[in-house]
Amino acid sequence: TSFNAFKFIRSDVLITIFSEQAVPTMALLFSEAYPISWQIGSLSAKTEDVLIESMKLSYTRMRTVSL
């Protein structure tokens, strides 16, 4: 199924950035956001590589949130 076949509802999205010690260091709030693209990297059972997913959002406003 193609990514474009899905219907998305605009909603607020909170993204929290964590340190290596799992402590929240920053938070961003995206208002009325919805995904416009989603990519998944390649993964091989023969390597110890980390799988990276990325998602691009369209939004009306972005602001930092106090932690």
Side-chain angles (χ1 to χ4, degrees), residues 40-65:
I40 301 174
S42 61
L43 184 63
S44 171
K46 297 178 183 178
T47 67
E48 295 181 15
D49 294 341
V50 174
L51 176 65
I52 306 259
E53 289 184 65
S54 62
M55 181 180 289
K56 290 184 183 178
L57 299 174
S58 178
Y59 55 91
T60 58
R61 181 178 179 204
M62 180 192 79
R63 58 188 159 125
T64 57
V65 176

Side-chain angles (χ1 to χ4, degrees), residues 20-41:
E20 291 181 11
Q21 294 77 30
V23 176
T25 60
M26 175 186 237
L28 301 168
L29 180 63
F30 297 88
S31 300
E32 299 182 25
Y34 63 94
I36 57 173
S37 73
W38 179 27
Q39 295 179 336
I40 301 174

